[in-house]
Amino acid sequence: MSFENLLTSIDNRVLTITINRPDKLNALNKKTVEEIGLAIKNAESNDAVLAIIITGSGQKSFVAGADISEFVDLSVEQGRSLAQAGQAVFKSIETCSKPVIAAVNGFALGGGCELTMACHLRIVSDNAKFGQPEVNLGLIAGYGGTQRLIQYIGKTKAIELHMTGDIINAEQALVLGLVNYVVPQDQLMEKCLEVIEKIKTKSPKAITGVINSVNAYFENSVDGFNIEINEFGKCFATDDFKEGTSAFLEKRKATFTGK
Ligand code: COA
């Protein structure tokens, strides 16, 4: 099956999904998110696939966030729908019965960081950068980031990163427990395949059991994801959001008024 914004290949029972919008640093527009959802759905039912790698095209960026150019003029309802659709696709990655590894080859910001966190493992190149910089746009994370970052690194650093929009490098991400391995960029795929080969020697059913059981640990809380959908949607009614997105697209610094 061919996609507009993804490259896919299956080799040795490993499906590699490459997000392929390098001129936009692989930013996730709606079409790309939909296609990722479809690729994961196909992989679930394809017996030829035992494991999945998600990566970005080029040497600079995994995914530099949701596509900001699509945010302009969204209403509160449309903002909520955007978050809902993104969360559904990312949830399908998290609950995929086959192991999904993010091979993070550069920027993993905003929706890109959220995408890595929906994957079961994060193996990253030494130039990888992580962050949730949505606040710079007068926004918050909407694809599960407010819920998943806490799961990986705890509230102390998670709330700081969401509030400051700070970007952290690969080594900092490793120290915080956000990623599994940091390797030189030219060894990224090799390391992913090494880990996958180890997992492939185990029972696929047992691996699914691990995924379901580990995920279950986080399922019994209040529905923070729903709260995030509402909070994300509300941002679209603010002047600050309009200013933040316009400033980005006009390549200038945003001036927020709190309105
Ligand atoms: N949405 C839409 N377009 C994006 C994008 C995004 N999230 N991130 C990068 N791009 C586009 C840029 O607009 C630019 O397009 P252009 O060449 O048509 O002008 C292209 O990708 C290259 O990005 P550029 O900003 O020139 O690269 P850089 O190396 O100077 O900076 C970043 C890299 C990642 C620091 C910068 O692109 C950035 O801050 N991106 C937004 C990150 C973000 O806020 N993500 C969360 C979104 S909710």
Side-chain angles (χ1 to χ4, degrees):
M1 172 160 205
S2 71
F3 296 98
E4 193 176 303
N5 297 324
L6 305 181
L7 303 172
T8 57
S9 62
I10 300 177
D11 188 25
N12 208 10
R13 304 197 69 186
V14 180
L15 167 68
T16 301
I17 300 172
T18 305
I19 298 158
N20 190 34
R21 300 184 73 217
D23 53 330
K24 295 292 173 192
L25 302 184
N26 305 319
L28 297 176
N29 58 5
K30 270 169 85 174
K31 179 82 183 167
T32 309
V33 173
E34 273 168 31
E35 289 188 344
I36 294 170
L38 201 53
I40 295 292
K41 192 167 172 232
N42 291 345
E44 278 279 18
S45 58
N46 185 348
D47 291 341
V49 174
L50 265 186
I52 301 161
I53 295 174
I54 301 182
T55 193
S57 187
Q59 304 276 301
K60 182 172 170 181
S61 182
F62 173 76
V63 166
D67 190 323
I68 298 166
S69 67
E70 286 189 343
F71 286 176
V72 182
D73 292 335
L74 291 191
S75 65
V76 169
E77 245 345 283
Q78 288 167 323
R80 293 185 81 255
S81 302
L82 186 73
Q84 233 154 9
Q87 284 195 13
V89 168
F90 285 18
K91 185 90 177 168
S92 77
I93 297 171
E94 184 171 57
T95 57
C96 183
S97 63
K98 303 173 184 185
V100 187
I101 298 188
V104 184
N105 55 314
F107 290 116
L109 304 178
C113 186
E114 292 172 292
L115 176 57
T116 74
M117 292 191 291
C119 296
H120 302 129
L121 301 175
R122 282 150 297 288
I123 299 179
V124 320
S125 59
D126 47 13
N127 70 330
K129 298 229 167 13
F130 294 83
Q132 298 288 164
E134 291 88 349
V135 282
N136 296 327
L137 303 167
L139 254 185
I140 66 166
Y143 294 172
T146 63
Q147 305 303 293
R148 291 198 180 94
L149 192 58
I150 292 176
Q151 295 173 7
Y152 292 112
I153 70 172
K155 183 174 176 184
T156 305
K157 288 306 284 185
I159 200 161
E160 180 189 342
L161 290 181
H162 280 292
M163 282 181 169
T164 60
D166 280 353
I167 308 296
I168 58 171
N169 64 29
E171 284 303 327
Q172 290 169 307
L174 185 67
V175 170
L176 286 172
L178 181 58
V179 309
N180 298 83
Y181 296 99
V182 179
V183 294
Q185 187 153 42
D186 61 356
Q187 291 166 31
L188 182 60
M189 282 303 159
E190 194 183 319
K191 184 67 189 177
C192 291
L193 292 173
E194 179 194 315
V195 174
I196 286 175
E197 281 311 309
K198 200 182 281 182
I199 297 172
K200 270 165 73 180
T201 64
K202 324 295 178 197
S203 151
K205 286 208 179 336
I207 296 300
T208 303
V210 168
I211 293 168
N212 293 342
S213 305
V214 172
N215 284 345
Y217 180 83
F218 298 101
E219 285 298 326
N220 56 359
S221 57
V222 291
D223 194 359
F225 287 100
N226 222 9
I227 290 171
E228 181 183 280
I229 285 169
N230 290 330
E231 294 301 323
F232 181 84
K234 278 196 258 173
C235 295
F236 288 86
T238 67
D239 291 346
D240 280 350
F241 161 73
K242 288 184 183 65
E243 165 63 7
T245 43
S246 308
F248 176 80
L249 296 171
E250 290 160 16
K251 300 187 188 296
R252 61 177 173 80
K253 201 169 172 344
T255 308
F256 294 121
T257 59
K259 299 214 167 61

